[in-house]
Coordinates of all heavy atoms in Angstrom, one line a residue:
T10 N 64.7 159.8 97.2 CA 64.1 158.8 96.4 C 62.7 158.3 97.0 O 61.8 158.2 96.3 CB 65.0 157.5 96.2 OG1 66.3 158.0 95.8 CG2 64.4 156.5 95.3
A11 N 62.7 158.2 98.3 CA 61.5 157.7 99.0 C 60.4 158.8 98.9 O 59.2 158.5 98.8 CB 61.8 157.4 100.4
Q12 N 60.8 160.1 98.9 CA 59.8 161.1 98.9 C 59.4 161.6 97.5 O 58.5 162.4 97.3 CB 60.3 162.4 99.7 CG 60.4 162.1 101.2 CD 61.0 163.3 101.9 OE1 61.4 164.3 101.3 NE2 61.0 163.2 103.2
G13 N 60.1 161.1 96.5 CA 59.9 161.5 95.1 C 58.6 160.9 94.6 O 58.0 160.0 95.3
P14 N 58.1 161.4 93.5 CA 56.8 160.9 93.0 C 57.0 159.5 92.5 O 58.0 159.1 91.9 CB 56.5 161.8 91.8 CG 57.8 162.4 91.4 CD 58.7 162.5 92.7
A15 N 56.0 158.7 92.8 CA 56.1 157.3 92.5 C 55.7 157.1 91.0 O 54.9 157.8 90.5 CB 55.1 156.5 93.4
R16 N 56.4 156.2 90.4 CA 56.1 155.9 89.0 C 55.0 154.8 88.9 O 55.3 153.7 89.2 CB 57.4 155.4 88.3 CG 58.6 156.3 88.4 CD 58.4 157.5 87.4 NE 59.6 158.3 87.5 CZ 59.6 159.6 87.4 NH1 58.4 160.2 87.2 NH2 60.7 160.3 87.5
T17 N 53.8 155.3 88.6 CA 52.7 154.3 88.6 C 52.0 154.4 87.2 O 52.2 155.4 86.5 CB 51.7 154.6 89.7 OG1 51.3 156.0 89.5 CG2 52.3 154.5 91.0
P18 N 51.2 153.4 86.9 CA 50.5 153.5 85.6 C 49.5 154.6 85.7 O 49.1 155.1 86.8 CB 49.8 152.2 85.5 CG 50.4 151.3 86.5 CD 51.1 152.1 87.5
E19 N 49.0 155.1 84.6 CA 48.1 156.3 84.5 C 46.8 156.0 85.3 O 46.3 156.9 85.9 CB 47.8 156.6 83.0 CG 47.0 157.8 82.9 CD 47.9 158.9 82.2 OE1 49.1 158.7 81.9 OE2 47.4 160.0 82.1
G20 N 46.3 154.8 85.3 CA 45.1 154.5 86.0 C 45.2 154.6 87.5 O 44.3 155.0 88.1
A21 N 46.4 154.3 88.0 CA 46.6 154.4 89.4 C 46.6 155.8 89.9 O 46.1 156.1 91.0 CB 47.9 153.7 89.8
V22 N 47.1 156.7 89.1 CA 47.1 158.1 89.4 C 45.7 158.6 89.5 O 45.3 159.4 90.5 CB 47.9 158.9 88.4 CG1 47.7 160.4 88.6 CG2 49.3 158.5 88.4
A23 N 44.8 158.3 88.6 CA 43.4 158.7 88.7 C 42.7 158.1 89.9 O 41.9 158.8 90.5 CB 42.7 158.3 87.4
S24 N 43.0 156.9 90.2 CA 42.4 156.3 91.4 C 42.8 157.0 92.7 O 42.0 157.2 93.6 CB 42.9 154.8 91.5 OG 42.5 154.2 92.7
T25 N 44.1 157.4 92.8 CA 44.6 158.1 93.9 C 43.9 159.5 94.0 O 43.5 159.9 95.1 CB 46.1 158.3 93.8 OG1 46.7 157.0 93.7 CG2 46.7 159.0 95.1
G26 N 43.7 160.1 92.9 CA 43.1 161.4 92.9 C 41.6 161.3 93.4 O 41.1 162.1 94.1
S27 N 40.9 160.3 92.9 CA 39.5 160.2 93.3 C 39.4 159.8 94.8 O 38.4 160.2 95.4 CB 38.8 159.1 92.4 OG 39.3 157.8 92.7

Side-chain angles (χ1 to χ4, degrees):
T10 307
Q12 291 178 353
R16 306 284 183 213
T17 59
E19 190 108 1
V22 172
S24 172
T25 303
S27 67

